[in-house]
């Protein structure tokens, strides 16, 4: 059980974690700190947090666990501001979608307190953002990837693991590097494809006719194009190498597809569609 939890960035993910832990009775008090007081007051009205922290100093002094739930591009600055305010008792964790850059920022900012930083990433989300979109069951039966290093304090790691389990999630561990390489394909690449398809269509001369004729397939594939632009800009900027690799692989696959269509290579097309269908059917059975 966490006595005092402070969420920095009470939006979709931070708000959902607060709601889940409150529903599970795993936290005694939740406070929130962020950019705009209006958002934090809304979070109090919605019953997501108990209290607004007006300064980072209070957030650091009063909390047992601090969760950084701001966009990845904002993490370094907050970690730098937090560093001189932390005591050895405070555990800091994050929910950022990229781990290498956040771990590097935490190492640089926290110095001797770095072992009490536990990097994390819940593999759960939705295309809406903000505290009003937060829900208590967002993490139920979902995975949370923790990327501790050799220096990570084992007690801090165990407390963060228990926190996520109380929120209904299963935790797994990866290195930050493996996380960023794998998520570049499983999460970041699908977002890029949805975004590019939507952007291509809206800029197309026939975009009205195309959208009028768009059915479930188009909606399914482009659903996540409605996700928060700041979050995705930050992910692109902080997971650059792994994303460029994933995009290049996809580019090569598209080149092969173009060539097969151009040449009328039915054998290649049938083999590729069949392989993908088999893999996708398997995914349906697994879930
Ligand atoms: P969100 O709903 O937009 O919430 C972000 C919150 O952070 C907002 O309350 C915002 O405050 C606050 N904020 C932004 N910049 C800040 C700064 N510099 N200092 C203090 N507060 C700041 O975003 P989210 O979807 O919850 O994403 C939060 C984190 O979770 C990101 O790191 C993202 O990579 C990660 N994540 C997201 C998903 C997803 O599907 N959305 C899934 C897994 C992980 P204001 O309201 O005042 O602007």
């Amino acid at each position: 059980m966490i006595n005092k939890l402070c969420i920095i960035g009470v939006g979709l993910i931070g708000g959902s974690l607060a709601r889940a832990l409150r529903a599970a009775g795993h936290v005694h008090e939740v406070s929130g700190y962020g950019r705009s007081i209006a958002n934090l007051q809304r979070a109090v009205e919605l019953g997501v947090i108990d209290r607004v922290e007006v300064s980072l100093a209070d957030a650091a002094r009063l909390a047992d666990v601090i969760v950084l739930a701001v966009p990845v591009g904002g993490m370094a600055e907050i970690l730098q501001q937090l560093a001189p305010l932390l005591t050895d008792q405070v555990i800091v964790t994050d929910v950022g979608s990229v781990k290498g850059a956040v771990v590097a920022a935490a190492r640089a900012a926290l110095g001797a307190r770095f072992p009490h930083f536990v990097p994390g990433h819940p593999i759960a989300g939705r295309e809406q953002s903000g505290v009003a979109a937060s829900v208590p069951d967002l993490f139920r039966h979902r995975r949370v990837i923790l990327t501790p290093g050799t220096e990570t304090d084992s007690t801090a790691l165990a407390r963060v693991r228990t926190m996520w389990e109380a929120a209904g999630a299963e935790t797994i561990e990866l290195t930050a590097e493996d996380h960023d390489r794998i998520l570049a394909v499983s999460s970041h690449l699908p977002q890029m494809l949805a975004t590019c398809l939507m952007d291509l269509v809206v800029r197309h001369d026939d975009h009205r006719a195309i959208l009028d004729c768009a059915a479930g397939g188009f909606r399914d594939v482009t659903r996540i194009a409605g996700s928060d632009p700041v979050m995705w800009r930050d992910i692109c900027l902080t997971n650059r190498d792994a994303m460029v690799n994933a995009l290049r692989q996809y580019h090569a696959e598209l080149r092969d597809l173009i060539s097969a269509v151009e040449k009328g290579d039915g054998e290649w097309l049938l083999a590729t569609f069949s392989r993908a269908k088999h893999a996708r059917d398997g995914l349906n059975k697994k879930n």
Side-chain angles (χ1 to χ4, degrees), residues 15-251:
S16 296
L17 179 60
R19 284 186 192 269
L21 294 176
R22 286 161 78 95
H26 190 74
V27 64
H28 186 246
E29 188 193 56
V30 187
S31 66
Y33 176 82
R35 271 192 311 204
S36 78
I37 290 291
N39 178 61
L40 296 170
Q41 279 165 350
R42 180 91 182 104
V44 174
E45 281 160 24
L46 290 169
V48 175
I49 58 173
D50 299 295
R51 227 163 28 80
V52 174
E53 298 289 9
V54 286
S55 76
L56 255 190
D58 284 345
R61 190 168 49 84
L62 299 172
D64 304 304
V65 177
I66 297 176
V67 178
L68 306 183
V70 302
V72 172
M75 298 268 184
E77 198 184 327
I78 289 178
L79 283 159
Q80 280 156 18
Q81 291 168 4
L82 261 182
L85 307 169
L86 296 172
T87 63
D88 275 343
Q89 283 71 50
V90 187
I91 293 168
V92 182
T93 185
D94 81 301
V95 299
S97 304
V98 175
K99 296 278 50 90
V102 174
V103 170
R107 187 189 295 280
L110 300 180
R113 300 214 195 294
F114 179 62
H116 286 90
F117 176 74
V118 181
H121 176 205
I123 309 301
R126 47 204 304 217
E127 58 279 18
Q128 295 97 332
S129 52
V131 69
S134 65
V135 286
D137 59 355
L138 189 66
F139 309 113
R140 192 173 303 154
H141 305 311
R142 307 306 295 268
R143 288 205 170 128
V144 174
I145 302 174
L146 302 177
T147 64
T150 49
E151 299 115 298
T152 309
D153 179 80
S154 56
T155 308
L157 175 59
R159 284 200 81 185
V160 171
R161 201 187 286 129
T162 306
M163 175 186 84
W164 282 111
E165 285 165 2
E170 176 201 357
T171 60
I172 59 167
E173 288 179 25
L174 290 177
T175 65
E177 196 183 19
D178 282 349
H179 169 279
D180 289 355
R181 188 173 44 80
I182 291 166
L183 272 286
V185 182
S186 66
S187 165
H188 308 168
L189 185 58
Q191 178 69 40
M192 299 306 113
L193 308 189
T195 295
C196 285
L197 176 57
M198 198 66 230
D199 192 47
L200 171 82
V201 167
V202 290
R203 291 187 296 109
H204 200 285
D205 289 343
D206 288 328
H207 76 272
R208 277 184 207 287
I210 294 170
L211 291 175
D212 281 348
C213 295
F218 184 84
R219 285 178 186 276
D220 286 351
V221 173
T222 57
R223 178 180 59 81
I224 54 175
S227 301
D228 182 47
V230 171
M231 175 172 103
W232 282 103
R233 176 204 61 191
D234 287 1
I235 291 171
C236 290
L237 294 177
T238 51
N239 197 24
R240 205 166 46 183
D241 293 349
M243 276 184 68
V244 167
N245 264 339
L247 284 165
R248 288 218 167 104
Q249 282 168 15
Y250 193 74
H251 194 215

